[in-house]
Every structure is written in structure tokens, then in C-alpha cells.
Amino acid sequence: MDRLRLALLIFAAFIISIDFNIVYVALPDIGHELGFTAQSLQWVVSAYAVGFGGLLLLGGRAVDRLGARRMFVLGLAIFGIASFAGGLAGAPGVLVAARVVQGTGGALLFPATLALINNTFAAGPARNRALSLWGVAGSTGAVVGPMAGGVITNYLGWEWIFFVNAPLTLAAILAALRVLTPDPGGYAWGGFDLPGALVATAGSTLVVFGLASGPEAGWGSARGAGALALGGVLLAAFVLIERRSRDPLAPPRLLGVRSLVTMMALIFVLMGTINTLHYLFYMDVQEVLGYTALGAGLAFLPMSVTSIVGAAKLLPLLLSRLGMRNALFVGVLGAGLAMAAVAAGMSADGSYWRLLPGIVLLGLCGGLVYPMVFLASGTDVAPASRASRRRWSPPPSRSAARWGWPRSSRSPTRASMSARAPRRRRTWWPACVRPGG
């Protein structure tokens, strides 16, 4: 039965990973058909980050108090319904709203998944293996996502990248009701820390909103600096509330856990830049090199495959030979070098061959780092504090969307690139398999 539970949790991670990567491939088509501007297109991803980042702490507490199984099912239901609504969207505002609701579902689903893994598998090799397989599922979704997104967008339209989530989430809900152990009877409404939850949700939502709005509205505007300032004030108030709370949402003592704070900072910097680079890569190959959505998905395939190799093969090898700290150092260093290589290969007269070495190395190191940040973040955390840790440490892909995306709203688009280089004929295959590419 534990294997069935693990398979379900891996499937849930797979669904989320597919959705995240499919959206990247379809962004140019979404922008053209719904009328997004070059600056507002980033809201297709940033809206998810607003919902997810703003409600993650509250979602973690809901898992602790109301039950991991209940929140897992509820998160899947919200995610599936919002995905279907996104496919029906006929205007930018409707799609952005649907993405916010999708993020809300993710804010419940992510901590519920980690709680179910921790509750099902004992600390040690069994839990480490489960987390590694969970990371592999995310990497596998990164392989299937661009390919499926390219095929679906090319032949069915961008709407179906959202519609496809509905049957997947429904299947996961039905499986959860059968294989997951029911939560204990009743609801633990006491100790919910409602004041802290509301203030933290409002503060983090405003900070994410300000970061996402700054490039479009201006950093000195009310939507930019104003939202950031108000969000900062609310988060400072949240710290004061937590210090006085009998059952705090995020115990202040966790800030003294060096491994957790270090991993939070690493997620903030590294994963934000990696996912910003994903956006730049897809816009570069479609808007500059002239690939279709299918061609962009194929172009991303080497990075996706090497990310699986990094998570499934390289990670266990380096952990056994170098230990957590040194293996993490190797992964982060490699990711930094890879990002520099990809950035150097992007130019108006560039080619796919210039990008290929960097994206291969980035996939390998990204797959290595992804599961390690979760293993390392809980190294020095007492068992009683691990539920709170799940609320403090967001998944790399989502923290990346939260912090990295605003930087990319000035990235290459059809309008901006028209002044840099003549538009190339659109092709469905990557340059590496095109004669003379």
C-alpha cells in the first residue's frame, strides 16, 4: 500500500510539473490570441505565483490542522477546476484570475504532499528515497511538459494545455480517496493562529504582487513600490504576532536553524534565476530563432532529459561520495556556470548550437539540486518543527516563478526583437536537427 501512496504523490508532483512547463511553451501563442502586451504577458506565470506564494503559509497550517489527506484532495480539486476555467478564458483578465486560483490549489497541494511523504515513510533511507523519486517526478514532468505543450499548442491550441489538467486531477482525487489513509476524525480548529495567517497571507501576497507589477507599472508606482512597502510592513507585523503567539504559524526559532535559512536563501536566488532563464530560453527560440511551439518543446528536450539523469543517477552518487554539503556546492556551482553559458549563447544572430551546452549542463545540475534543497533544509530541524518548515520552504519551481519572473517582463518579444534582427522563417524542428541549422 505504501507503494501505491508514493505512486499517487509522485503523480501529483508530475501533474504540477507538467502544467508549469507546458505554460512556458505556450506563452507566445497565449499572448498573441488574448492580446497580452509584452509587459503583461508575464502575469500568466506571475498570477500563479501570487496565489501560491501568498497562501503557502496558510496552506501549510491548514494541512497541520485540518488533515493532509483532506487538503491534498481539496488542492487537487481547486487546481483542476481552475485549469478548466483557464482553458475557457477569452480575455487576459479571466486567464490571470484562473491562474491565481490555480496557485491557491498549489498552496494546499504542496505542503499536503510533503506531509503525506513524511507521515508515510520513516526518516532515513526510506524517506530520502521517496523524496528523490518525488524529485524525479518533477524532472519527468519537465521532459513531458515541453514536448506535450509543443504538440498540444501546435495541433489543438493553447487552451488544451489547461484542459488536460482536468482529467488528470480527477483521476488523482479518485485514487487519493482509495489509497490514502483517512485523516483523524474532526478538525483541529484550535491553534490555527488566524491573525498570523491573515497578516502573513496579505503581506506575502502584496510583496509578490509588487515584484510582479514593478516592471509593468513602474517601480515607483503604487502597484510597485507601494505594494512592496505595504507588504513589508505587514510581514514585519507578522513577525511581532508570531513572537507573542502561543502556537505560531511560523515559529521564530526556525530563523535560528542555519540549514533552513541557507536553503531558503538558495531557493530565492538560484531557482529564481533558473526559471527566469527558462522563460528567456522559450522566448528566444520562438521569437528570435523562429521556432514554433513544437520546435521549442523539442529544443528544451536535452535539458529535460539531463535533469532526470541528475536527480536519478548523479544525486545518489554524489551524496554517497561527497556528502550533502559538497554535493550541493557542486550542483550550485555547475548551475551558475550553465546559466552563464546559456546567457552568452543568446543573441539576435545566435543559433541553437550556442545554447545547447549550457542547457544540457543546467538540466543536469538543476536535477541534482532540486531534491537536495529539501533534504538539506530539514537536516537540523527538530521533528516537532518540520510541519512549520514545510510552510517556510516552497518548491523550487514556484519560488522561482515568484521571485524570478518580474525580471523577465522586459525579455525578448516580437515587438522588441523586430528592431534587433530580421524575423526568421518559423520551423518546427530545432536547429541541431535541421540541415544547415
Side-chain angles (χ1 to χ4, degrees):
M1 186 61 72
D2 283 352
R3 291 184 178 181
L4 291 177
R5 295 189 184 109
L6 179 59
L8 173 61
L9 299 177
I10 289 174
F11 182 61
F14 182 73
I15 292 173
I16 302 299
S17 181
I18 282 182
D19 174 77
F20 191 67
N21 289 278
I22 280 181
V23 168
Y24 274 129
V25 178
L27 280 175
D29 290 77
I30 292 173
H32 301 152
E33 292 196 21
L34 293 187
F36 281 95
T37 65
Q39 287 72 35
S40 64
L41 182 59
Q42 55 94 11
W43 274 106
V44 178
V45 171
S46 293
Y48 184 99
V50 169
F52 183 91
L55 294 170
L56 183 60
L57 284 172
L58 185 58
R61 178 47 62 95
V63 169
D64 294 340
R65 297 300 178 183
L66 305 181
R69 181 177 182 262
R70 295 186 185 103
M71 295 302 102
F72 183 81
V73 171
L74 179 60
L76 282 170
I78 292 173
F79 189 87
I81 293 171
S83 295
F84 191 79
L88 296 175
V94 177
L95 180 57
V96 169
R99 293 289 287 166
V100 172
V101 179
Q102 266 191 308
T104 302
L108 294 173
L109 188 58
F110 172 71
T113 302
L114 284 183
L116 289 167
I117 290 177
N118 287 333
N119 294 340
T120 303
F121 301 95
R127 184 179 297 170
N128 291 345
R129 178 176 177 273
L131 286 172
S132 295
L133 291 174
W134 180 68
V136 170
S139 300
T140 304
V143 172
V144 177
M147 293 289 294
V151 172
I152 292 172
T153 304
N154 221 54
Y155 296 107
L156 298 177
W158 64 265
E159 298 90 347
W160 283 91
I161 68 170
F162 296 106
F163 287 149
V164 73
N165 288 326
L168 294 178
T169 53
L170 177 60
I173 289 172
L174 295 176
L177 296 175
R178 291 182 62 89
V179 305
L180 295 181
T181 303
D183 296 315
Y187 301 92
W189 291 107
F192 208 92
D193 189 18
L194 188 58
L198 293 177
V199 172
T201 298
S204 54
T205 299
L206 283 170
V207 168
V208 176
F209 180 79
L211 288 171
S213 300
E216 179 185 2
W219 290 108
S221 66
R223 287 174 55 189
L228 287 172
L230 182 56
V233 170
L234 290 176
L235 290 178
F238 169 68
V239 173
L240 296 177
I241 292 173
E242 296 304 278
R243 288 179 176 177
R244 299 178 180 180
S245 175
R246 293 182 178 179
D247 191 7
L249 185 68
R253 66 178 179 275
L254 289 179
L255 291 176
V257 180
R258 187 174 65 175
S259 63
L260 177 60
V261 174
T262 302
M263 289 305 103
M264 289 171 61
L266 180 60
I267 290 172
F268 182 96
V269 176
L270 179 62
M271 297 305 173
T273 53
I274 286 178
N275 282 269
T276 298
L277 197 63
H278 286 183
Y279 170 78
L280 293 173
F281 172 81
Y282 281 119
M283 297 303 294
D284 184 69
V285 297
Q286 292 188 72
E287 302 297 332
V288 181
L289 301 185
Y291 294 0
T292 62
L294 178 57
L298 291 172
F300 195 74
L301 183 60
M303 181 175 179
S304 301
V305 172
T306 54
S307 69
I308 293 180
V309 175
K313 299 296 183 181
L314 188 59
L315 173 60
L317 178 64
L318 291 184
L319 283 177
S320 62
R321 295 192 176 185
L322 301 180
M324 179 72 71
R325 181 177 179 179
N326 291 332
L328 191 57
F329 175 80
V330 170
V332 172
L333 177 62
L337 294 174
M339 285 186 281
V342 174
M346 290 183 178
S347 63
D349 59 348
S351 69
Y352 181 72
W353 285 108
R354 295 183 183 179
L355 299 173
L356 186 59
I359 65 173
V360 168
L361 180 59
L362 185 58
L364 191 67
C365 296
L368 173 65
V369 170
Y370 185 94
M372 259 200 297
V373 292
F374 294 99
L375 295 174
S377 65
T379 300
D380 301 321
V381 180
S385 300
R386 283 180 182 154
S388 299
R389 189 260 296 180
R390 291 193 298 268
R391 300 190 295 268
W392 280 60
S393 182
S397 61
R398 302 313 175 202
S399 60
R402 188 191 314 179
W403 305 115
W405 254 94
R407 306 179 196 171
S408 63
S409 60
R410 300 290 183 183
S411 55
T413 61
R414 292 178 187 264
S416 63
M417 281 300 170
S418 61
R420 290 174 51 188
R423 180 155 180 84
R424 303 186 183 185
R425 179 173 59 88
R426 290 181 71 83
T427 55
W428 68 269
W429 52 81
C432 60
V433 295
R434 185 170 71 242

